[in-house]
Amino acid sequence: MEQRIIHACGHEQAHDLTGFDSQQARKARWLKTTTCRDCFVAEKRAEEAAAAALSSAAISHLDLPLLTGTDRQISWASTIRTKRLAALTNLNSNADCYACLQVTDAKWWIDHRDLTDVDLMAAATQAADIQSATAARASITDMSRTA
Ligand SMILES: [Zn+2]
């Protein structure tokens, strides 16, 4: 049964309540103590914006390289990188975070966004090793070409 509930924020919202009358009454009572959906979303957004601002401030002293990828990847990866680096550099030395600080591939940040801090640092170190190995191989090829 649809019921209009006045939420704690003062906004009215329709809810589809199911179950026995007593269950519906309990649910309605509980809903009255919560904020409406719009206010909930707005609060969440504000919290995220505040957290993002804190993260940006926390890493503002770092001289980060530009990310590479499509515009969409870069914009998403930049949010991820800011958040992860703020947490990483807060708990670890800059030397431990060095590999993470060097990763410029936007796709890498997106693909690895769910890793734990430890795994993220390990993955970054591995990526750096592969990159330098590839660079070394490329320079060997260059040398053999000029020889
Ligand atoms: Zn509201």
Side-chain angles (χ1 to χ4, degrees):
M1 190 185 79
E2 195 182 85
Q3 254 192 63
R4 301 204 64 87
I5 303 278
I6 308 222
H7 285 272
C9 54
H11 299 129
E12 196 183 46
Q13 193 188 319
H15 290 271
D16 207 8
L17 299 180
T18 54
F20 295 112
D21 284 357
S22 61
Q23 288 173 317
Q24 289 190 22
R26 195 166 348 118
K27 183 95 192 280
R29 260 201 310 278
W30 173 75
L31 282 169
K32 281 177 196 160
T33 66
T34 64
T35 54
C36 73
R37 199 178 300 120
D38 290 348
C39 285
F40 177 78
V41 170
E43 269 169 34
K44 268 267 163 306
R45 283 228 182 93
E47 273 169 29
E48 271 162 27
L54 269 181
S55 295
S56 298
I59 61 159
S60 62
H61 63 289
L62 298 172
D63 190 17
L64 292 174
L66 289 176
L67 291 171
T68 57
T70 64
D71 286 350
R72 251 181 96 164
Q73 284 174 332
I74 290 174
S75 135
W76 188 13
S78 150
T79 310
I80 298 166
R81 182 172 72 165
T82 302
K83 192 170 135 191
R84 298 306 302 262
L85 286 183
L88 274 184
T89 53
N90 187 27
L91 296 168
N92 303 278
S93 71
N94 273 6
D96 285 339
C97 304
Y98 184 76
C100 284
L101 297 175
Q102 302 308 310
V103 180
T104 55
D105 183 10
K107 194 174 172 301
W108 186 92
W109 284 103
I110 294 165
D111 289 346
H112 294 81
R113 68 186 183 281
D114 292 327
L115 291 187
T116 62
D117 286 357
V118 173
D119 288 345
L120 190 72
M121 286 193 283
T125 307
Q126 204 176 32
D129 284 349
I130 292 167
Q131 215 166 48
S132 59
T134 313
R137 229 185 342 253
S139 66
I140 290 166
T141 318
D142 280 350
M143 267 186 276
S144 60
R145 213 178 284 137
T146 44

